[in-house]
Amino acid sequence: MDSHGQYEQQVVWAVVDTGIGPLLLAATRAGLVNVVFHADEPVRGKALRRLADRLGAEPVESPGSPLLREAIRQVDAYFAGERRDFELPLDWSLISGFNRQVLRELASGVPYGAVVGYGDLARRVGQPGAAQAVGTAMGANPLPVVVPCHRVVESDGGIGGFGGGLEAKRRLLALEGVLPEPLF
């Protein structure tokens, strides 16, 4: 507790090696708050500074933290093909409004092995003309992989964009059986 009797924000982080490269996982007492692709040292440093600014607490590396241990276990199991759903508390504090609404619908309504179009997802949240805004929400997703923005594709069959890169999106969709495994 701080001097005013309030609980201080705690932010812990760890890096997990995955089939799409290193992911930084960060958590607060409320739950997993951020997943960052390509978490080499420069990317990690930038992400941790951004988290400190946004959450008002300096993130501490703590892979053994109870806040992260289960998230790490579930991410490892997902990439090993042993887990289809993440059952983790999520801290949604890095996103709000329409973007949060869209991401919550995505997390609860698009299961493993399925995809949804940007326009379809817009309709699901009651904004049928907001396909482009859904794309913006996907790009702002602070919890990729766990909140599966890789499952959102173009209505014409195109793969669409992805913050982790198109190769990572293809690998995630292949892992879930939506696309064939890359040959090389």
Side-chain angles (χ1 to χ4, degrees):
M1 280 196 202
D2 65 15
S3 61
H4 303 290
Q6 300 293 314
Y7 283 101
E8 292 180 52
Q9 176 74 285
Q10 180 184 12
V11 182
V12 293
W13 65 274
V15 173
V16 179
D17 288 319
T18 72
I20 58 170
L23 295 178
L24 180 143
L25 306 180
T28 66
R29 285 185 178 93
L32 191 67
V33 72
N34 204 197
V35 176
V36 179
F37 293 108
H38 314 294
D40 60 13
E41 195 165 327
V43 169
R44 190 169 56 239
K46 183 178 177 184
L48 294 172
R49 285 189 299 279
R50 190 173 57 247
L51 277 172
D53 290 345
R54 297 275 313 273
L55 298 175
E58 199 63 40
V60 175
E61 185 174 15
S62 184
S65 162
L67 297 172
L68 284 175
R69 199 174 15 236
E70 182 61 15
I72 292 168
R73 190 186 72 70
Q74 289 189 30
V75 166
D76 285 343
Y78 171 81
F79 280 98
E82 299 164 357
R83 172 171 281 280
R84 292 174 164 245
D85 300 306
F86 291 96
E87 296 171 5
L88 297 167
L90 301 178
D91 179 340
W92 294 94
S93 64
L94 294 179
I95 197 148
S96 62
F98 177 79
N99 291 356
R100 184 187 290 188
Q101 180 185 9
V102 168
L103 291 171
R104 284 180 178 264
E105 173 60 29
L106 174 64
S108 65
V110 183
Y112 183 97
V115 294
V116 65
Y118 293 94
D120 292 335
L121 194 51
R123 280 188 285 286
R124 288 185 186 195
V125 297
Q127 300 290 327
Q132 237 178 342
V134 166
T136 300
M138 296 306 103
N141 182 3
L143 296 160
V145 180
V146 175
V147 176
C149 53
H150 60 277
R151 296 179 189 156
V152 183
V153 298
E154 295 174 347
S155 59
D156 65 3
I159 194 168
F162 193 59
L166 292 181
E167 183 58 30
K169 186 170 186 172
R170 284 185 190 95
R171 288 183 179 276
L172 290 166
L173 292 173
L175 175 70
E176 295 188 11
V178 175
L179 292 177
E181 286 287 337
L183 296 176
F184 43 87

